Amino acid sequence: MTVDFRPPPSALFAFPPDSRPAVLPPAQQSSLSWHRPFNIPPAVYSALLHPAVPIAIAATYALTVSYINRLNRRRDYRPWAVSKTRPFRLFVVLHNVFLAVYSLWTFLGMIRAFRLSWPDPSMRSSPAAVVDCLCKINGPRGLGNAAVYDTAANRWTMTNPDSGYHLTPDGLPDATDVGRLWNSGLAYFGFLFYLSKFYEVLDTAIILAKGKRSSTLQTYHHAGAMMCMWAGIRYMASPIWIFALFNSLIHAMMYTYYTLTALRVKVPTRIKRSLTTMQIAQFVIGTLLAAAHLFVSYSVPVQESHPVTLQPLTETIPSQDTTGLLPWLKKLAFRAAGADGVAANVLSANRTLFGADGSHAVHALVNHRELRKQTLQTSVPCINTSGQAFAIWLNLVYLLPLTFLFVRFFIRSYLRRTNEHQHHAAEKAIKDVTREISKAVREMHGNTSDGPSSGSSTPRPERAYEANVLDLLNRKQRIAEREITKPTPLTPAQEETLENQENQSTATSTAIDVATVTQEQKYEANLKDVMTAEEKAIDSHPEESTALSVDYEAASPSPSHSPSPSAPMSHAQRRKKKAAKRH
């Protein structure tokens, strides 16, 4: 028993699909239970699966949403008055609670259906048995015991006619057979799940009543779900179990989340993100599984009866001469006594029948035909009808764009929004750091005002440290140059003459000298503070320090902190300058 993958036959691509076979309603139950709380009349079941029903409802839904979207846009997306009332808010909560409970009930019912139709423990290790359970949903349980529709003969048949299971007198699968998905619950829960897609359009009505715009994803999702569930149930396509099982679980969690938000319970964003991720995973897995049904074939054991013809006997009837006299006398005696049966069984000396009795026995065996059974492995496709193939193709065409829309929604709602939030946070942090640096630089230079003060020029924050370093280097360079050009000692007479010449300007330069010394002291103190603060910052945060690149040709010291070139020189400076000129 093997499982093979091969291209589907061309007969499965017929459009429009063949309407045969008719859908099989679930059996009517006399005793109701949690998994069958009420019966569905067969006439209602068939009528609601008419193709005009989902087409009309889906078209009306899409047109209505488009119209109200335009109407809300004209109203500047203001909420309608009804959405602000208490009955409306109560309805929203009850609506979500109902769909959450209903979806969970459907999921549990489908789990029960799978438990009843799953292969026996002895067959669970066989891939063909598992595939047969998922592909063939009508008939009794067991590998090769399914009821399938023969499109060539246009009638239902049993995969294994000699299995002991039979169709009803009407030629249909027995609705009371157990062990296959359709009778175990798919016919019942799948049909109600199909009807629930009509009710779920109230999700869109709630959104529109709040003055919001219903997205393309919302409209496409609801309208497409109606058509896909209809096709799967109407044509009894086996992959519809994927929709009924997985989607009911996702909806149970999703509407529970909606209930909490309607009750104003704060739900973490990661839960909402996880729900969207699970929906996308559901679409991807569902698409792959549904498509696989078109290409799967597997082998099943089938018993076939065939006649066996016995070969004619080669032995001839012994002649009367070789039988002996005694057997003849016995035969005559029994016949005379009326015991013909005993006489017919009298054997000759060779232990064989003789005479007319032997001749009759030989002719009874010649050309005798006997029926014997033989088990053969027959390959069967997973999909039998064009209607089942149409339901699969319709689901694939629906799921591929839906998956794209959900992925786009996920990126826009979570990934891009998260990146934008992080970008704004980074920009804010940079602005805060820049503001603090600017404030610190102004404080170090004795300027705590937000704007520039009159009579002074505060260096830009990003250039303050560089300018001060350049000032320090220039100052050290000037000191070194003065040490190199230090004049030779003067004689006492020369010193006295020079002193008399300089005394004339001493009085006028005293005030300027005091101001200059004070300015230089402030500059040196300020520079020392800047250097000390920078060294402390680097020592405390060595990992944040970066190499300082200074353009010494373009950089210039701040005029508010460097000595003015036009300031008068002190008495000692003039003496040294004159001495340098003389030498």
Side-chain angles (χ1 to χ4, degrees):
M1 293 178 290
T2 60
V3 178
D4 302 321
F5 289 88
R6 61 188 63 178
S10 58
L12 297 181
F13 295 92
F15 186 84
D18 194 348
S19 59
R20 294 170 294 185
V23 65
L24 301 175
Q28 303 295 300
Q29 300 287 343
S30 57
S31 59
L32 303 180
S33 59
W34 72 267
H35 54 84
R36 186 66 66 89
F38 57 89
N39 289 318
I40 304 174
V44 175
Y45 194 93
S46 300
L48 291 178
L49 286 174
H50 192 278
V53 175
I55 293 176
I57 295 178
T60 303
Y61 163 73
L63 293 175
T64 303
V65 170
S66 177
Y67 171 75
I68 300 181
N69 272 338
R70 291 197 299 268
L71 190 60
N72 281 345
R73 183 173 56 192
R74 295 173 188 169
R75 300 178 70 253
D76 295 329
Y77 298 104
R78 288 181 287 106
W80 295 81
V82 67
S83 65
K84 299 180 180 180
T85 61
R86 294 185 62 183
F88 179 83
R89 291 193 290 268
L90 178 61
F91 166 74
V92 172
V93 174
L94 295 179
H95 165 77
N96 290 318
V97 169
F98 167 72
L99 285 177
V101 174
Y102 163 74
S103 299
L104 180 61
W105 173 72
T106 301
F107 174 73
L108 295 178
M110 289 302 302
I111 291 293
R112 177 182 178 274
F114 264 90
R115 182 177 58 83
L116 294 177
S117 58
W118 203 248
D120 294 329
S122 59
M123 298 294 295
R124 289 176 184 174
S125 59
S126 172
V130 176
V131 172
D132 179 73
C133 165
L134 300 178
C135 289
K136 305 303 180 183
I137 59 177
N138 297 103
R141 186 176 188 173
L143 179 62
N145 296 335
V148 296
Y149 190 80
D150 188 352
T151 56
N154 288 328
R155 62 185 180 89
W156 285 93
T157 61
M158 301 298 295
T159 304
N160 190 357
D162 295 329
S163 61
Y165 298 102
H166 305 283
L167 301 173
T168 63
D170 297 332
L172 300 175
D174 193 345
T176 61
D177 286 338
V178 294
R180 296 281 173 177
L181 279 175
W182 188 257
N183 289 346
S184 297
L186 183 58
Y188 187 81
F189 290 102
F191 177 78
L192 295 179
F193 202 62
Y194 154 68
L195 296 183
S196 71
K197 300 306 170 185
F198 302 143
Y199 176 78
E200 287 177 5
V201 300
L202 292 180
D203 293 345
T204 308
I206 293 173
I207 293 175
L208 296 174
K210 293 180 179 180
K212 300 179 181 179
R213 178 184 178 275
S214 178
S215 63
T216 304
L217 172 61
Q218 180 90 358
T219 306
Y220 179 82
H221 175 52
H222 286 297
M226 298 177 194
M227 299 304 303
C228 290
M229 280 302 303
W230 164 80
I233 298 299
R234 165 59 186 85
Y235 294 107
M236 294 179 289
S238 53
I240 200 61
W241 67 264
I242 304 171
F243 213 133
L245 180 68
F246 292 160
N247 196 248
S248 60
L249 175 61
I250 298 298
H251 276 203
M253 295 185 290
M254 183 180 68
Y255 283 106
T256 300
Y257 165 78
Y258 290 156
T259 302
L260 295 177
T261 56
L263 294 174
R264 303 183 186 278
V265 177
K266 187 176 181 180
V267 181
T269 305
R270 63 177 179 272
I271 294 181
K272 185 178 180 181
R273 186 187 301 116
S274 300
L275 287 175
T276 307
T277 304
M278 293 175 66
Q279 282 184 306
I280 296 174
Q282 170 206 185
F283 298 145
V284 174
I285 295 174
T287 300
L288 296 177
L289 286 178
H293 283 70
L294 292 170
F295 300 90
V296 169
S297 297
Y298 61 99
S299 59
V300 297
V302 177
Q303 290 185 347
E304 291 186 356
S305 300
H306 57 92
V308 177
T309 302
L310 298 179
Q311 297 296 329
L313 298 178
T314 57
E315 296 182 356
T316 60
I317 302 175
S319 62
Q320 297 180 2
D321 297 336
T322 61
T323 58
L325 182 59
L326 183 59
W328 275 105
L329 293 176
K330 288 183 179 181
K331 185 182 289 289
L332 291 175
F334 283 124
R335 291 188 183 280
D340 292 337
V342 178
N345 292 323
V346 174
L347 301 179
S348 65
N350 297 328
R351 309 299 297 173
T352 60
L353 294 175
F354 61 94
D357 298 318
S359 178
H360 293 322
V362 171
H363 288 293
L365 293 176
V366 173
N367 297 327
H368 176 70
R369 299 172 65 87
E370 182 179 276
L371 292 178
R372 295 184 180 179
K373 294 183 179 180
Q374 183 179 6
T375 301
L376 303 176
Q377 296 293 328
T378 302
S379 179
V380 295
C382 184
I383 301 299
N384 294 93
T385 66
S386 59
Q388 294 174 345
F390 168 75
I392 295 176
W393 286 115
L394 182 62
N395 275 267
L396 294 180
V397 172
Y398 163 71
L399 287 175
L400 290 177
L402 184 65
T403 304
F404 166 76
L405 291 174
F406 263 89
V407 171
R408 187 181 67 173
F409 168 79
F410 183 85
I411 294 174
R412 290 181 175 179
S413 300
Y414 303 115
L415 300 183
R416 186 176 300 175
R417 185 175 300 175
T418 301
N419 293 337
E420 291 178 355
H421 176 73
Q422 294 176 351
H423 179 69
H424 293 328
E427 286 184 348
K428 184 177 182 300
I430 292 174
K431 291 180 180 179
D432 293 341
V433 171
T434 303
R435 190 181 302 110
E436 293 298 327
I437 292 175
S438 178
K439 181 179 178 181
V441 170
R442 288 196 300 269
E443 290 177 352
M444 286 189 296
H445 290 279
N447 182 11
T448 58
S449 61
D450 294 335
S453 59
S454 59
S456 64
S457 176
T458 303
R460 292 178 298 173
E462 64 272 13
R463 305 292 295 177
Y465 177 67
E466 301 173 5
N468 289 330
V469 171
L470 185 59
D471 289 344
L472 179 61
L473 294 176
N474 292 337
R475 184 175 179 82
K476 289 184 177 181
Q477 184 178 1
R478 289 195 299 270
I479 294 174
E481 290 176 353
R482 285 198 297 268
E483 291 294 333
I484 294 174
T485 59
K486 187 175 181 180
T488 56
L490 300 177
T491 61
Q494 291 175 341
E495 290 180 356
E496 183 178 358
T497 303
L498 182 60
E499 184 177 356
N500 293 333
Q501 294 176 354
E502 292 176 351
N503 286 336
Q504 297 177 1
S505 60
T506 300
T508 57
S509 62
T510 300
I512 298 176
D513 290 341
V514 173
T516 303
V517 172
T518 304
Q519 185 178 5
E520 290 182 353
Q521 290 176 350
K522 289 182 178 180
Y523 169 76
E524 292 176 357
N526 190 18
L527 179 61
K528 185 177 181 180
D529 292 341
V530 172
M531 297 296 294
T532 303
E534 188 67 20
E535 291 174 357
K536 289 181 179 179
I538 294 176
D539 292 339
S540 60
H541 302 284
E543 70 281 357
E544 298 180 2
S545 63
T546 56
L548 182 62
S549 175
V550 181
D551 186 359
Y552 292 104
E553 295 181 357
S556 60
S558 174
S560 62
H561 300 290
S562 60
S564 175
S566 60
M569 292 185 295
S570 64
H571 177 68
Q573 289 175 340
R574 285 197 299 273
R575 289 178 57 188
K576 293 179 181 180
K577 185 176 181 180
K578 291 179 180 180
K581 288 181 179 180
R582 286 196 298 270
H583 293 280

